[in-house]
Amino acid sequence: MSTKLDHLSAQLKLALSGHITKQTVSLGEITIECRAEHLIEVCAKLRDHAELKFEQLTDLCGVDYSDYKDGAWQGARYAVVLHLLSVSLNQRLRLRVFAQNDDFPVLPTLVDAWPVANWYEREAFDLFGIMFENHPDLRRILTDYGFVGHPFRKDFPMIGNVEMRYDPEQQRVIYQRVSIELRNNVPRVIRDEGAHHG
């Protein structure tokens, strides 16, 4: 680990003692984990502590671990990963937190800590079904209003549940159950092993 990462690692342990459940270094960046009930407190310290100063949330995304490592994953199914940037101290950090309930994943909103979290959290809700408690406007952002399900979940059907088409008789767009037959989308490559190419 570089001197800069060593310093950041030490400051994280000092500022967040007892709240970090895991800390790793990968690709020149530190990743920490905390429990969901400590997320707001941890984020406030990451933003405000004089030796951390993570003023910017550059990304927040949902993750579905249900088929991770070919099904060998033993932990909670849904997580949110935050990417933080300290402009003033020129350092980055990754924070991962797991939702405790796989059937109804809920995490606290971070809109009060970083207002930009608003749309990121809406995206994680829309695509993964992760709820953000106390979010000011938690509604779909990428899929249509009538969309059923969350398309980035590993168990969501590849062809979806409904299709949309224009009905010339009704002169409007209508939704109906998918009429596409399930099929293998992996192309088959057939090679003639006996053919000589010159």
Side-chain angles (χ1 to χ4, degrees):
M1 225 174 10
S2 72
T3 307
K4 189 172 179 85
L5 285 183
D6 284 336
H7 178 74
L8 176 56
S9 178
Q11 291 303 322
L12 287 167
K13 287 173 184 166
L14 283 171
L16 302 171
S17 61
H19 290 322
I20 297 176
T21 58
K22 186 176 181 183
Q23 182 170 324
T24 56
V25 176
S26 179
L27 304 171
E29 202 168 295
I30 295 175
T31 300
I32 62 171
E33 291 182 16
C34 74
R35 296 177 55 83
E37 61 264 26
H38 299 139
L39 182 61
I40 291 175
E41 183 183 348
V42 165
C43 287
K45 283 188 179 177
L46 288 172
R47 185 193 61 202
D48 300 335
H49 191 281
E51 295 293 326
L52 301 174
K53 290 188 181 177
F54 288 102
E55 309 101 341
Q56 289 188 10
L57 170 66
T58 60
D59 191 25
L60 179 152
C61 62
V63 183
D64 179 354
Y65 284 95
S66 63
D67 200 28
Y68 188 61
K69 296 189 176 181
D70 294 324
W73 179 256
Q74 296 295 314
R77 178 175 176 179
Y78 298 104
V80 164
V81 178
L82 291 78
H83 292 261
L84 303 172
L85 171 66
S86 171
V87 176
S88 52
L89 298 177
N90 190 25
Q91 55 193 15
R92 294 179 181 272
L93 179 70
R94 190 179 302 113
L95 169 61
R96 180 169 65 171
V97 59
F98 286 91
Q100 295 307 301
N101 186 340
D102 289 349
D103 296 324
F104 190 70
V106 180
L107 291 169
T109 185
L110 296 175
V111 170
D112 290 338
W114 297 285
V116 72
N118 188 332
W119 283 23
Y120 290 139
E121 289 177 353
R122 284 180 60 190
E123 181 180 65
F125 160 69
D126 191 2
L127 302 179
F128 291 95
I130 299 169
M131 303 296 292
F132 292 90
E133 193 172 25
N134 296 320
H135 189 284
D137 187 23
L138 195 61
R139 59 191 163 101
R140 291 188 181 273
I141 191 169
L142 294 172
T143 58
D144 196 21
Y145 298 114
F147 194 87
V148 176
H150 305 283
F152 280 17
R153 287 186 172 189
K154 301 271 177 85
D155 52 4
F156 189 81
M158 288 284 288
I159 58 172
N161 296 312
V162 294
E163 59 188 356
M164 177 180 71
R165 69 176 177 83
Y166 179 76
D167 186 313
E169 292 175 10
Q170 297 181 43
Q171 295 187 341
R172 66 181 184 91
V173 172
I174 63 168
Y175 294 88
Q176 62 190 40
R177 300 277 315 149
V178 171
S179 61
I180 303 168
E181 290 181 28
L182 286 173
R183 63 184 182 275
N184 184 351
N185 289 332
V186 179
R188 287 183 58 203
V189 177
I190 302 172
R191 292 190 176 95
D192 184 0
E193 297 296 329
H196 296 286
H197 303 285

